[in-house]
């Protein structure tokens, strides 16, 4: 199956009543490990990068790897831009193979959020690219230099107006998840998810899937969540596996001997994330 447009995966998720697991890839080898586990579980996946990631490594490395690996795997997968805050970041993604992009204006006043989101929709839709917007404030750190200023739940009334005025294709909502590590077990606002879905009729997106209990995620999927982002859990497991290898094999500089143990640990987390995205335990 070749690299496919995000819209194709979104239609599959709507028809099957499941969420697409979307994985941030800070380094290209994550792509291979995610696709291998997706293939094993027969699950479509979204590979995504945020500007903070593609600015550290040329975005063409990620897109090139996806094109090459599309010859190897049978599951459909798509390439998405996560957490762009500026139109220039979106333009870079549009030039480099992303079939869906997120413009995050949630830090802005409502009217400014609407304006920048509309600008991105005007750029993306003529190219057949989907746009994900965000309303509300998902707390925690996103991997950039901004401070954690807490969270603020998405207003159903505001979401309805935002959807109408921007024509976004997906809406990221603040309903109890957080970026990064949790200091307590999150409890999702399930009634809020249901009302936002009812008012907007949009596929909803949860950021901060790492650390959220599987049963909570699956309840959210039943209520209309169609994409769940995972990043922290994979990065934390990767770094811990790296530390363990270095401690157990001091002085060993043969990276090829380290990669299998890193892959095993990351793929365990990927498997848990995929299963958590399926409302009815499809795997």
């Amino acid at each position: 199956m070749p690299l496919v447009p995000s819209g194709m995966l979104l239609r599959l998720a709507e028809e099957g009543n499941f969420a697409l697991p979307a994985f941030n890839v800070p380094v290209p080898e994550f792509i291979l490990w995610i696709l291998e586990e997706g293939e094993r579980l027969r699950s479509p996946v979204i590979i995504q990068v945020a500007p903070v990631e593609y600015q550290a490594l040329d975005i063409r490395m990620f897109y090139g790897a996806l094109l090459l690996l599309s010859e190897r795997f049978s599951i459909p997968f798509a390439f998405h831009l996560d957490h762009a805050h500026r139109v220039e970041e979106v333009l870079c993604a549009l030039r480099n193979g992303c079939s869906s992009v997120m413009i995050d204006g949630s830090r802005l006043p409502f009217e400014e959020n609407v304006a920048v989101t509309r600008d991105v929709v005007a750029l993306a839709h003529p190219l057949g690219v989907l746009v994900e917007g965000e309303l509300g404030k998902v707390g925690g750190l996103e991997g950039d230099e901004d401070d954690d200023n807490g969270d603020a739940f998405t207003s159903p009334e505001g979401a309805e107006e935002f959807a109408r005025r921007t024509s976004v294709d997906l809406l990221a909502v603040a309903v109890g998840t957080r970026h990064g590590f949790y200091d307590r077990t999150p409890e999702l606002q399930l009634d809020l998810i249901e009302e936002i879905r009812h008012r907007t009729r949009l596929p909803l997106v949860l950021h901060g899937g790492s650390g959220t209990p599987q049963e909570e995620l699956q309840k959210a999927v039943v209520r209309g969540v169609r994409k769940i982002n995972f990043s922290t859990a994979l990065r934390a497991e990767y770094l811990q596996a790296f530390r363990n290898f270095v401690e157990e094999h001091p002085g060993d500089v043969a990276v090829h001997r380290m990669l299998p143990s890193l892959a095993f640990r990351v793929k365990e987390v990927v498997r848990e994330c995929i299963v958590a995205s399926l409302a009815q335990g499809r795997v």
Side-chain angles (χ1 to χ4, degrees):
M1 172 71 69
L3 177 65
V4 303
S6 297
M8 180 183 295
L9 295 191
L10 192 60
R11 286 192 295 272
L12 290 176
E14 288 284 24
E15 292 168 3
N17 195 32
F18 65 91
L20 297 163
F23 298 98
N24 284 71
V25 287
V27 288
E29 56 259 40
F30 270 42
I31 296 173
L32 176 61
W33 302 338
I34 292 164
L35 292 179
E36 285 179 341
E37 199 58 27
E39 183 86 356
R40 193 179 78 80
L41 296 177
R42 309 302 306 153
S43 172
V45 297
I46 293 177
I47 303 296
Q48 59 186 30
V49 293
V52 69
E53 292 157 338
Y54 78 60
Q55 288 163 2
L57 292 170
D58 194 316
I59 191 172
R60 291 170 294 183
M61 295 176 63
F62 298 100
Y63 183 48
L66 287 168
L67 286 176
L68 179 65
L69 291 171
S70 69
E71 302 172 3
R72 171 176 169 181
F73 294 94
S74 63
I75 59 165
F77 55 94
F79 190 32
H80 174 77
L81 172 67
D82 184 37
H83 278 300
H85 296 289
R86 297 184 296 112
V87 173
E88 292 79 8
E89 295 166 340
V90 173
L91 289 172
C92 179
L94 294 176
R95 289 192 295 265
N96 288 282
C98 288
S99 58
S100 55
V101 296
M102 180 198 184
I103 179 66
D104 180 2
S106 63
R107 302 170 179 177
L108 303 173
F110 182 82
E111 290 297 331
E112 293 180 34
N113 189 0
V114 168
V116 71
T117 304
R118 289 180 64 177
D119 287 346
V120 169
V121 168
L123 290 170
H125 278 185
L127 302 175
V129 173
L130 302 185
V131 177
E132 174 186 333
E134 180 170 338
L135 190 66
K137 179 65 170 67
V138 179
L141 298 178
E142 298 167 7
D144 55 18
E145 297 303 317
D146 288 336
D147 292 330
D148 176 6
N149 293 317
D151 50 10
F153 291 152
T154 303
S155 156
E157 297 81 7
E160 183 176 11
E161 180 181 355
F162 185 81
R164 176 178 56 81
R165 293 177 59 187
T166 62
S167 299
V168 289
D169 304 286
L170 305 96
L171 182 62
V173 291
V175 291
T177 56
R178 291 172 63 81
H179 297 106
F181 294 104
Y182 287 101
D183 54 13
R184 65 186 187 283
T185 303
E187 295 182 9
L188 300 188
Q189 303 296 305
L190 299 173
D191 291 342
L192 182 57
I193 293 172
E194 192 165 8
E195 185 176 358
I196 294 170
R197 168 74 170 192
H198 175 73
R199 283 177 173 265
T200 65
R201 303 297 180 186
L202 287 175
L204 303 183
V205 182
L206 284 184
H207 288 243
S210 298
T212 305
Q214 175 178 311
E215 59 272 17
E216 287 286 292
L217 292 178
Q218 291 181 341
K219 290 175 184 176
V221 172
V222 170
R223 289 162 173 80
V225 167
R226 292 292 173 261
K227 176 173 174 279
I228 303 176
N229 288 11
F230 299 99
S231 179
T232 299
L234 278 68
R235 289 185 283 117
E237 201 66 28
Y238 176 83
L239 291 173
Q240 188 57 53
F242 183 95
R243 295 186 190 100
N244 291 346
F245 184 91
V246 172
E247 290 175 0
E248 294 166 8
H249 304 85
D252 190 342
V253 295
V255 175
H256 68 275
R257 285 197 287 267
M258 176 176 61
L259 287 176
S261 60
L262 271 60
F264 177 80
R265 295 279 292 275
V266 170
K267 287 163 73 173
E268 281 189 320
V269 178
V270 170
R271 184 182 317 123
E272 294 171 1
C273 295
I274 290 175
V275 172
S277 302
L278 306 175
Q280 306 301 329
R282 199 167 51 87
V283 170

